[in-house]
């Protein structure tokens, strides 16, 4: 399980800082294996899952996430980030998203993406990763805007 108060806080941050209106949606979060997770570093993975569902776009299973989300939408540094990156590399993850405040770390096995805010994380996750389905949808939205003038 996951702390429902923490989930509520993440949903409020996504609403206030990024404009995602989860208040009109039913939100269910399942942690595989029924584990009880209390590590705040899982916040970024939860946000990624929420955004993936909201956008109806799958995130690569080669991405890993480690970061705590604050009330103002900042991604905070987490403890033992070097070990987390090394373990992600051993498990076959090609890219990991971590806080910009952990910039002193490096990796030869895994590409590290530093993010400072939830909004920046959203842009890097969905707009800097090639996705033909998303590009087609954005083109259709732009095209319909131009046709209405």
């Amino acid at each position: 399980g996951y702390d429902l108060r923490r989930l509520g806080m993440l949903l409020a941050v996504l609403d206030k800082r990024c404009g995602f209106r989860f208040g009109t949606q039913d939100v269910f979060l399942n942690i595989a294996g029924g584990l009880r997770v209390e590590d705040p570093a899982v916040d970024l993975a939860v946000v990624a899952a929420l955004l993936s569902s909201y956008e109806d776009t799958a995130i690569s299973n080669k991405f890993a996430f480690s970061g705590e989300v604050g009330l103002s939408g900042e991604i905070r540094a987490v403890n033992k980030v070097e070990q987390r990156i090394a373990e992600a590399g051993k498990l076959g993850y090609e890219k990991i998203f971590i806080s910009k405040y952990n910039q002193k770390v490096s990796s030869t096995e895994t590409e590290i993406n530093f993010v400072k805010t939830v909004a920046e994380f959203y842009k890097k996750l969905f707009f800097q990763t090639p996705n033909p389905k998303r590009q087609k949808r954005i083109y259709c939205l732009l095209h319909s805007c131009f046709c209405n003038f």
Side-chain angles (χ1 to χ4, degrees):
Y2 190 73
D3 183 9
L4 290 178
R5 290 173 294 170
R6 188 107 189 132
L7 178 60
M9 187 274 299
L10 293 175
L11 292 169
V13 168
L14 288 170
D15 186 352
K16 177 76 173 175
R17 303 295 174 200
C18 300
F20 293 103
R21 305 288 182 238
F22 283 98
T24 61
Q25 308 293 319
D26 291 328
V27 177
F28 298 95
L29 180 65
N30 183 36
I31 304 295
L35 297 173
R36 178 99 180 118
V37 179
E38 295 180 6
D39 186 0
V42 84
D43 285 357
L44 202 57
V46 170
V47 167
L50 290 168
L51 293 175
S52 172
S53 176
Y54 190 89
E55 289 291 330
D56 198 22
T57 302
I59 296 174
S60 172
N61 62 356
K62 298 294 182 180
F63 291 0
F65 310 93
S66 185
E68 180 180 359
V69 176
L71 284 173
S72 64
E74 82 277 9
I75 308 298
R76 297 180 184 158
V78 295
N79 295 327
K80 301 180 183 178
V81 73
E82 296 89 358
Q83 292 173 326
R84 295 172 196 264
I85 294 169
E87 195 63 30
K90 288 178 190 174
L91 292 171
Y93 290 100
E94 297 171 357
K95 188 183 286 192
I96 186 167
F97 291 84
I98 63 172
S99 172
K100 212 170 214 165
Y101 302 109
N102 284 120
Q103 277 194 326
K104 296 175 185 167
V105 299
S106 62
S107 173
T108 56
E109 297 176 2
T110 307
E111 178 187 337
I112 300 174
N113 280 280
F114 297 101
V115 290
K116 189 173 181 179
T117 65
V118 173
E120 180 185 347
F121 173 64
Y122 172 72
K123 289 176 191 171
K124 282 190 175 188
L125 188 61
F126 290 104
F127 293 103
Q128 291 181 358
T129 304
N131 185 334
K133 181 180 171 185
R134 169 167 276 290
Q135 290 171 351
K136 182 178 179 183
R137 187 165 66 182
I138 290 172
Y139 170 77
C140 290
L141 289 171
L142 289 173
H143 182 70
S144 66
C145 288
F146 290 128
C147 291
N148 290 333
F149 285 111

